[in-house]
Coordinates of all heavy atoms in Angstrom, one line a residue:
M16 N -26.3 37.6 -11.2 CA -25.0 37.1 -11.5 C -24.5 36.2 -10.4 O -23.8 35.1 -10.7 CB -24.0 38.2 -11.8 CG -24.2 39.0 -13.0 SD -23.2 40.5 -13.2 CE -21.6 39.7 -13.2
G17 N -24.7 36.6 -9.2 CA -24.3 35.8 -8.0 C -24.9 34.4 -8.0 O -24.3 33.4 -7.7
C18 N -26.2 34.4 -8.3 CA -27.0 33.1 -8.3 C -26.4 32.2 -9.4 O -26.3 31.0 -9.2 CB -28.5 33.4 -8.6 SG -29.3 34.2 -7.2
N19 N -26.2 32.8 -10.6 CA -25.7 32.0 -11.7 C -24.3 31.4 -11.4 O -24.0 30.3 -11.7 CB -25.5 32.8 -13.0 CG -26.9 33.1 -13.6 OD1 -27.9 32.4 -13.3 ND2 -27.0 34.1 -14.4
S20 N -23.5 32.2 -10.7 CA -22.1 31.8 -10.3 C -22.2 30.7 -9.3 O -21.5 29.7 -9.4 CB -21.3 33.0 -9.7 OG -20.1 32.5 -9.2
S21 N -23.1 30.8 -8.4 CA -23.3 29.7 -7.4 C -23.8 28.4 -8.0 O -23.3 27.3 -7.7 CB -24.3 30.1 -6.3 OG -23.9 31.3 -5.6
K22 N -24.7 28.6 -9.0 CA -25.2 27.4 -9.7 C -24.0 26.7 -10.5 O -24.0 25.5 -10.5 CB -26.3 27.8 -10.7 CG -27.6 28.1 -10.0 CD -28.6 28.5 -11.0 CE -30.0 28.9 -10.3 NZ -31.0 29.3 -11.3
Q23 N -23.1 27.5 -11.1 CA -22.0 26.9 -11.8 C -21.1 26.2 -10.9 O -20.6 25.1 -11.3 CB -21.3 28.0 -12.6 CG -22.1 28.6 -13.8 CD -21.4 29.7 -14.4 OE1 -20.4 30.2 -14.0 NE2 -21.9 30.2 -15.5
V24 N -20.7 26.7 -9.8 CA -19.8 26.1 -8.8 C -20.5 24.8 -8.3 O -19.8 23.8 -8.3 CB -19.5 27.0 -7.7 CG1 -18.8 26.3 -6.6 CG2 -18.7 28.2 -8.1
G25 N -21.7 24.9 -7.9 CA -22.4 23.7 -7.5 C -22.5 22.6 -8.5 O -22.4 21.4 -8.3
S26 N -22.8 23.1 -9.8 CA -22.9 22.2 -10.9 C -21.6 21.4 -11.1 O -21.5 20.2 -11.4 CB -23.3 22.9 -12.1 OG -23.3 22.0 -13.2
T27 N -20.4 22.2 -11.0 CA -19.1 21.6 -11.2 C -18.8 20.5 -10.2 O -18.3 19.4 -10.5 CB -18.0 22.7 -11.2 OG1 -18.3 23.6 -12.2 CG2 -16.6 22.0 -11.4
A28 N -19.1 20.8 -8.9 CA -18.9 19.9 -7.8 C -19.8 18.7 -8.0 O -19.3 17.5 -7.8 CB -19.2 20.6 -6.5
T29 N -21.0 18.9 -8.4 CA -21.9 17.7 -8.7 C -21.4 16.9 -9.8 O -21.4 15.6 -9.7 CB -23.3 18.2 -9.0 OG1 -23.8 19.0 -7.9 CG2 -24.3 17.1 -9.2
D30 N -20.9 17.5 -10.9 CA -20.4 16.8 -12.0 C -19.2 15.9 -11.6 O -19.0 14.8 -12.0 CB -20.0 17.7 -13.1 CG -21.2 18.4 -13.8 OD1 -22.3 17.8 -13.6 OD2 -21.0 19.4 -14.5
D31 N -18.3 16.5 -10.8 CA -17.1 15.8 -10.4 C -17.5 14.6 -9.5 O -16.9 13.5 -9.7 CB -16.2 16.7 -9.5 CG -15.5 17.8 -10.4 OD1 -15.5 17.6 -11.7 OD2 -15.0 18.8 -9.9
N32 N -18.4 14.8 -8.6 CA -18.9 13.7 -7.8 C -19.6 12.6 -8.6 O -19.4 11.4 -8.4 CB -19.9 14.3 -6.7 CG -20.2 13.2 -5.7 OD1 -19.3 12.7 -5.0 ND2 -21.5 12.9 -5.5
S33 N -20.3 13.0 -9.6 CA -21.0 12.0 -10.5 C -19.9 11.2 -11.3 O -20.1 10.0 -11.4 CB -21.9 12.7 -11.5 OG -23.0 13.4 -10.8
K34 N -18.9 11.9 -11.8 CA -17.8 11.2 -12.5 C -17.1 10.2 -11.6 O -16.8 9.1 -12.0 CB -16.8 12.2 -13.0 CG -17.3 13.0 -14.2 CD -16.3 14.0 -14.7 CE -16.8 14.8 -15.8 NZ -15.8 15.8 -16.3
L35 N -16.9 10.6 -10.3 CA -16.2 9.7 -9.3 C -17.1 8.5 -9.1 O -16.6 7.4 -9.0 CB -15.9 10.5 -8.0 CG -15.3 9.7 -6.9 CD1 -13.9 9.1 -7.4 CD2 -15.0 10.6 -5.7
M36 N -18.4 8.7 -8.9 CA -19.3 7.6 -8.6 C -19.4 6.7 -9.8 O -19.4 5.4 -9.6 CB -20.7 8.2 -8.2 CG -20.8 8.8 -6.9 SD -20.3 7.7 -5.6 CE -20.5 8.8 -4.1

Side-chain angles (χ1 to χ4, degrees):
M16 289 174 64
C18 290
N19 288 338
S20 177
S21 297
K22 286 180 182 179
Q23 288 175 355
V24 171
S26 177
T27 301
T29 301
D30 289 345
D31 289 344
N32 189 58
S33 297
K34 288 179 182 177
L35 180 58
M36 290 301 180

